Amino acid sequence: MIQKVMVLFQKYREMILYLVFGGLTTLVNIFSYFVLTDLGHIDYLVSTAIAWVLSVLFAYFTNRVWVFQSTASGAGALFKEMGSFFACRLFSGAVDLGIMFLCVSILGWPDKLIKILANVLVIILNYLFSKLFIFKKGKGAEQ
């Protein structure tokens, strides 16, 4: 039984780890947002932006080291990788802010519920960006 589980884990390792660390990243985002809005009494859009920064920093290091096991080395390759990561996360962060603004400010829906739902879309977008553009395998020595 354990051997079968290990075989399945190895087969789906990247996706499993992405879900685990994506979930943790989402928790960092949501927890930060809740603390900033509820305890800090900070505006929901400002809180969303701060929570985004904290979660992106957490996500970059966990994705680079454990999920996609990046082998990029050298200043140029690392800056390119990090730049691509942050640019894609900036896009998904803008999607998050846009959803929050539309649903909370315009439609008047509850901010906490919308924050959680928006993160589902953000996780999907971020996985696709990371898998297809940022940490893609097979770049050889250039990576």
Side-chain angles (χ1 to χ4, degrees), residues 3-20:
Q3 187 175 7
K4 287 182 182 182
V5 170
M6 292 306 292
V7 168
L8 284 173
F9 177 77
Q10 287 304 319
K11 183 175 181 180
Y12 298 106
R13 181 198 149 287
E14 186 178 276
M15 189 167 289
I16 291 167
L17 289 177
Y18 186 83
L19 290 173
V20 168

Side-chain angles (χ1 to χ4, degrees), residues 14-31:
E14 186 178 276
M15 189 167 289
I16 291 167
L17 289 177
Y18 186 83
L19 290 173
V20 168
F21 287 111
L24 291 173
T25 299
T26 300
L27 288 176
V28 167
N29 187 290
I30 292 170
F31 178 77

Side-chain angles (χ1 to χ4, degrees), residues 10-120:
Q10 287 304 319
K11 183 175 181 180
Y12 298 106
R13 181 198 149 287
E14 186 178 276
M15 189 167 289
I16 291 167
L17 289 177
Y18 186 83
L19 290 173
V20 168
F21 287 111
L24 291 173
T25 299
T26 300
L27 288 176
V28 167
N29 187 290
I30 292 170
F31 178 77
S32 301
Y33 177 81
F34 284 14
V35 167
L36 292 166
T37 57
D38 290 349
L39 299 178
H41 304 291
I42 298 173
D43 177 73
Y44 78 92
L45 288 175
V46 174
S47 295
T48 296
I50 293 169
W52 176 83
V53 169
L54 295 173
S55 63
V56 168
L57 288 171
F58 176 82
Y60 175 71
F61 291 106
T62 58
N63 278 263
R64 175 175 169 44
V65 174
W66 290 293
V67 178
F68 297 103
Q69 298 178 323
S70 174
T71 58
S73 61
L78 288 172
F79 282 124
K80 181 180 177 186
E81 179 184 88
M82 187 180 276
S84 296
F85 188 86
F86 281 93
C88 289
R89 293 296 171 117
L90 187 59
F91 175 77
S92 65
V95 169
D96 187 10
L97 278 169
I99 290 170
M100 292 297 291
F101 179 76
L102 174 68
C103 294
V104 177
S105 293
I106 305 295
L107 300 174
W109 294 350
D111 65 316
K112 307 285 190 293
L113 174 64
I114 297 306
K115 184 66 180 163
I116 291 167
L117 295 175
N119 269 273
V120 172

